Amino acid sequence: MCGIVAYIGQQEAYPILIEGLKRLEYRGYDSAGVALLNENNELNVYKAKGKVSDLEAFASSKDVSGHIGIAHTRWATHGEPNQVNAHPHVSQSGNIALIHNGIIENYLSIRKELEKRGFTFKSSTDTEVLTNLIEDVQQSEHVDLFEAVRIALNHVVGAYAIVVLEKGHPDQLIAARKGSPMVIGIGDGEYFIASDATPIVGRTQKVVYLEDEQVVKIKLGEELHIKTIQDVEAMPYVQELKMNLDSIEKAGFDHFMMKEIYEQPTIVRDTMRGRLNPEANTVRLGGIQQYEKQLLYADNIVFVACGTSWHACLVGSYLIENLAKIPVKVEYASEFRYRNPVITPHDVVIAVSQSGETADTLAAIQLAKEKGAVVLGICNVIGSSISRATDAGIYTHAGPEIGVASTKAFTSQVTVMVMLALRLAELKGSMKDEERAAFIQELDRIPEKMQWTLDHSGHVKDIAEKYKDVRNMLYLGRLQNYPVALEGALKLKEISYIHAEGYPAAEMKHGPIALIDKDMPVVFIATNHSTYEKVISNIQEVKARNGKIIAIISQKDVLARKMADYVIEIPETECLYSPLLALAYHIAVMRGCNVDQPRNLAKSVTVE
Ligand code: M6R
C-alpha cells in the first residue's frame, strides 16, 4: 500500500521523483504528491487526487526546481482519497515534510495529546499526526531531526516506511522503517530512496535494504548513518541490485498484465533453473536444504498466504500429500493469526507471498515462530520483509510483477510447489523412480507447452467478446484444477468487476446449480485426468439447464468438445492457467477497465 520515493543529489529531483512514482503506482493510485526544497530554501508541496499523471498536470506550471525532494502515491487507509489527505504532509511550523507508507495504529491518542499542546490538523490522516509528533519532539527536546525521528518512533504503534525532509537542510533526508519496505540506492554523490527497487533500477546498482526499526540519516558527502530506534548504531549492508530496466517496462504490450502473461514460459524456466535436473531426474532446492529433514518428518506442513498465493498453496497441498505423503494444511494468513491455531515445534510453516510484504502473512510468520515452528518462505521479491523474517526459503524468480492482478507470480509459485513435492517424494521414497522421472521430464517440457498455449489462444478474445456483458460467471474444476478455478474466478472479478465464483466441480450440485440458466456461463477445466469422467457428468448437468459452457480441454478431447459452447485447447498437460488469464484480460479490456490498476486494489497489502 502506498509508494514512496525520495531523491537527494546534484540532479533535478522532480523528474526522478515522477518517474519513480510511476514505477511504484501499482502500490496505490488514489492520490499523489511531491515536496521539493528549492535553492531559496522554499518548500514547495504539490498534491493531486488521482494518478501520478494528475499530479504532473497540476504541477505543470509550478516551480518544481530543487535537488532534494520526496514523493508519494497513495492507497488510502485513513481519510478519503483527496488532495488534503494526500502526502507529503507538512508540520504545523511548515519546516518538516513527510511521506509515509503504513499505518500508525495509535494515531488518535497521539493526536489528542498534540492538540492539547496547541497543534491543529488539516487532514484526517495518521501521517500528519506523525509529522507533528516529530516536530513536537524536535522543539521540546531541542534535538536535531535525526534524533527527533528516532525518539518519536518510540511512541508509535504500527507500521511505517517514512522519509522526512527539513527546510534549511538541503543536503539531508531522514528515513526509517518498520513493517513496510524501504530500499536506499547509493549513487555517485546522490541517494535514491524508495518502497522497492523499481525506481532505482537503471540509476545505481548499490542498494541498502533498511531493517525494521532502523532510522537512517542520508546526508550528501557522508556515509549512511544508521541507528535502531533504541539508539544502537548499525552498519549499512550494501548489496548489488540485480534487476534490469527491461523487466519493469511494457515491452510493446498494451498492459503489464499481458506482458506478464506472456512471460510465463520464461519465468517457469527461470524458476526451475539450477534446481530441476532433467538429465539426472533430480530436484535440488538449495535454499531449504538444511530444513529438509524437518519437512520430511513434520507432523504437518502448514502453508500460510493470502489471495492468489493462497491458491498456489492449495495446489501445493494436493501435490505434496499426493506425491510425498506428508500431511499438509492450508491457512488464510489473516485467519491463522487470530484463531489461535495448534502449531507445535514439530510443524513446518511455509509462508507464500509474491511481494513478501503482506501484513497478514508477516503476522502469521511471527505467530508460527512464537509457537516454535520452523518457518520457511516462498517469495518473489528478494530482500523483502517475508524473505528476511523466515528461517530459509525458495525464491520464485518471476521478476517484478507490476500488474496488480497476479499472473506469472502464481505460475512460478506453482512451479516451486511441484519441485518441492518432487524433492520431498524423492527423500521420502514415496514415488517409484520411473514415475518421478516421468514427472520431472514433463515439468521440463512445461515452458514449451505454455508457449504453445499462448500462441494458440487468439480465439479467447472472441469468447471474451461474447461474454463481456454477463453479470456472473462460474469456474469449476477438480483436484488441482479446483484452485486454478478459484484463481480464474478471482482474476475475472479483480480486473473486470464481474462477479465470479470458483468451486470444486462436484460441489455445484450442493448449491450453485440453482444459479444455472441460459444467462450463466460456466468455465469448466476439463482436462484429461483421473476425474475427467466426473467433470463430464457435471458439464451434462449444466447443459441440461441451458447454461453456457466454456471448456478448457486437452487437445485430444472428444466428449467435452461436443458438449461445450466454446473450447480452449491446451496440450496434454496441466498448463491451463494462461487461457483463464487471457479470458479475464480480454473481458476487462473490452469492458474498458483498468487492467493493471483495478479499482480499490493495491499490489502489496501492507495493512491488515
Ligand atoms: O504479495 P502476496 O502474494 O502476499 O499477495 C497476496 C494477495 O494480496 C494477492 O495475491 C492478491 O490476491 C492479488 N491481487 C491477486 O491477483
Side-chain angles (χ1 to χ4, degrees):
M1 308 300 180
C2 302
I4 59 174
V5 58
Y7 174 78
I8 180 170
Q10 312 311 320
Q11 303 187 58
E12 281 299 314
Y14 183 70
I16 295 172
L17 296 175
I18 291 294
E19 191 183 280
L21 283 186
K22 285 183 178 164
R23 291 187 190 174
L24 287 175
E25 212 168 19
Y26 71 91
R27 299 178 66 88
Y29 34 82
D30 59 40
S31 51
V34 59
L36 298 147
L37 204 55
N38 71 14
E39 291 202 328
N40 303 322
N41 194 32
E42 287 159 347
L43 181 63
N44 290 314
V45 181
Y46 309 118
K47 311 194 222 183
K49 183 176 174 189
K51 295 183 170 286
V52 177
S53 51
D54 296 305
L55 171 67
E56 263 184 303
F58 178 72
S60 61
S61 55
K62 312 264 191 313
D63 173 13
V64 290
S65 64
H67 303 283
I68 175 169
I70 59 179
H72 188 272
T73 178
R74 181 167 186 249
W75 186 88
T77 56
H78 293 71
E80 63 172 292
N82 59 24
Q83 201 181 22
V84 178
N85 289 332
H87 301 207
H89 287 278
V90 177
S91 63
Q92 180 144 294
S93 71
N95 271 337
I96 295 175
L98 183 148
I99 47 173
H100 170 217
N101 169 29
I103 289 184
I104 307 302
E105 290 169 18
N106 59 339
Y107 81 107
L108 275 177
S109 58
I110 299 175
R111 181 173 167 144
K112 273 193 196 127
E113 274 308 307
L114 290 171
E115 278 168 347
K116 281 190 212 151
R117 296 164 67 80
F119 282 88
T120 54
F121 294 87
K122 298 185 187 75
S123 75
S124 28
T125 63
D126 52 342
T127 304
E128 192 185 5
V129 173
L130 178 59
T131 314
N132 279 325
L133 176 66
I134 292 169
E135 177 154 292
D136 186 43
V137 172
Q138 202 179 16
Q139 287 170 353
S140 52
E141 308 267 329
H142 306 291
V143 289
D144 65 12
L145 184 65
F146 187 31
E147 188 61 0
V149 170
R150 188 191 71 74
I151 295 171
L153 291 177
N154 279 283
H155 297 279
V156 153
V157 178
Y160 51 80
I162 58 169
V163 187
V164 198
L165 177 155
E166 188 182 20
K167 268 176 100 170
H169 294 267
D171 57 349
Q172 168 193 289
L173 289 167
I174 307 295
R177 69 152 285 198
K178 181 187 173 193
S180 299
M182 177 176 287
V183 53
I184 302 165
I186 306 171
D188 191 8
E190 57 187 355
Y191 288 103
F192 310 85
I193 303 114
S195 296
D196 68 29
T198 53
I200 297 172
V201 175
R203 299 195 180 278
T204 176
Q205 286 189 299
K206 278 162 62 182
V207 292
V208 171
Y209 292 93
L210 210 61
E211 297 288 335
D212 264 354
E213 301 202 328
Q214 286 186 337
V215 195
V216 56
K217 177 156 82 172
I218 303 158
K219 189 159 183 176
L220 288 181
E222 291 182 11
E223 300 278 293
L224 295 178
H225 183 184
I226 303 181
K227 278 181 178 186
T228 66
I229 63 168
Q230 294 80 16
D231 209 13
V232 178
E233 298 283 332
M235 283 296 291
Y237 171 48
V238 182
Q239 304 184 40
E240 194 191 336
L241 185 63
K242 299 238 166 66
M243 229 179 251
N244 61 33
L245 218 47
D246 290 353
S247 64
I248 56 168
E249 285 174 352
K250 280 190 200 150
F253 287 93
D254 288 342
H255 299 96
F256 280 111
M257 181 175 174
M258 202 44 150
K259 177 192 173 220
E260 287 158 7
I261 290 172
Y262 272 84
E263 279 173 351
Q264 288 176 100
T266 313
I267 65 98
V268 171
R269 254 303 150 243
D270 290 345
T271 308
M272 298 190 303
R273 183 161 295 116
R275 294 166 169 168
L276 188 85
N277 183 341
E279 277 79 48
N281 285 322
T282 54
V283 174
R284 292 289 170 265
L285 297 168
I288 56 158
Q289 207 162 6
Q290 67 183 112
Y291 292 98
E292 284 181 337
K293 265 209 180 107
Q294 278 98 326
L295 280 163
L296 216 48
Y297 299 112
D299 282 353
N300 287 290
I301 292 176
V302 183
F303 282 116
V304 291
C306 302
T308 291
S309 298
W310 187 89
H311 297 155
C313 294
L314 210 52
V315 178
S317 74
Y318 280 51
L319 290 167
I320 294 171
E321 289 206 336
N322 187 20
L323 303 183
K325 312 291 177 214
I326 300 171
V328 183
K329 292 180 180 171
V330 181
E331 299 265 1
Y332 284 112
S334 54
E335 285 296 300
F336 180 86
R337 64 183 290 191
Y338 287 119
R339 69 170 190 81
N340 203 8
V342 178
I343 295 289
T344 74
H346 302 293
D347 295 319
V348 177
V349 172
I350 306 183
V352 181
S353 172
Q354 186 285 129
S355 63
E357 302 296 343
T358 302
D360 284 321
T361 311
L362 271 164
I365 291 171
Q366 190 53 38
L367 180 70
K369 281 183 157 178
E370 283 161 19
K371 290 180 180 278
V374 166
V375 185
L376 306 178
I378 297 178
C379 239
N380 189 33
V381 179
I382 295 173
S384 58
S385 301
I386 289 177
S387 68
R388 283 179 291 138
T390 41
D391 296 311
I394 306 168
Y395 280 119
T396 48
H397 296 314
E401 191 180 63
I402 311 285
V404 165
S406 202
T407 53
K408 61 175 181 170
F410 175 76
T411 314
S412 66
Q413 289 167 341
V414 170
T415 307
V416 167
M417 294 296 179
V418 182
M419 289 193 292
L420 182 60
L422 288 168
R423 175 65 184 152
L424 293 175
E426 180 187 342
L427 292 168
K428 185 113 186 210
S430 54
M431 278 174 100
K432 288 193 189 123
D433 282 354
E434 54 278 18
E435 201 189 344
R436 196 166 39 78
F439 226 110
I440 288 174
Q441 295 303 319
E442 181 56 19
L443 190 53
D444 191 44
R445 284 191 290 268
I446 289 285
E448 20 171 313
K449 293 193 174 184
M450 274 184 163
Q451 193 57 55
W452 186 96
T453 307
L454 290 167
D455 293 344
H456 293 81
S457 62
H459 66 301
V460 174
K461 208 167 172 177
D462 304 332
I463 305 175
E465 178 68 50
K466 184 87 190 154
Y467 294 114
K468 68 179 193 309
D469 296 320
V470 298
R471 294 170 59 87
N472 300 290
M473 214 137 148
L474 211 52
Y475 284 69
L476 302 176
R478 295 199 72 161
L479 302 180
Q480 57 264 40
N481 292 346
Y482 156 53
V484 177
L486 290 176
E487 178 59 12
L490 175 64
K491 280 310 83 116
L492 189 69
K493 57 188 152 196
E494 257 187 312
I495 62 167
S496 71
Y497 319 139
I498 293 175
H499 173 244
E501 294 296 336
Y503 274 96
E507 275 296 300
M508 181 182 66
K509 56 184 153 314
H510 298 287
I513 198 164
L515 296 168
I516 309 284
D517 63 12
K518 64 176 181 22
D519 298 320
M520 175 64 117
V522 183
V523 178
F524 274 98
I525 305 167
T527 48
N528 201 4
H529 61 60
S530 59
T531 54
Y532 176 74
E533 305 291 337
K534 315 242 175 240
V535 174
I536 291 296
S537 306
N538 298 137
I539 295 180
Q540 263 155 352
E541 286 156 10
V542 172
K543 196 133 186 84
R545 287 155 185 86
N546 296 322
K548 297 286 170 283
I549 293 156
I550 303 162
I552 316 278
I553 57 168
S554 309
Q555 271 173 310
K556 292 186 190 143
D557 183 282
V558 180
L559 288 176
R561 189 188 297 275
K562 272 196 205 144
M563 286 185 274
D565 296 275
Y566 293 93
V567 295
I568 303 170
E569 278 185 354
I570 63 162
E572 299 293 314
T573 192
E574 300 292 330
C575 56
L576 38 81
Y577 182 46
S578 297
L580 297 184
L581 293 178
L583 184 64
Y585 172 85
H586 289 304
I587 289 180
V589 171
M590 287 167 191
R591 287 167 69 92
C593 301
N594 185 336
V595 173
D596 285 335
Q597 295 172 347
R599 67 184 178 207
N600 304 338
L601 293 175
K603 184 71 183 163
S604 85
V605 185
T606 53
V607 294
E608 273 193 54

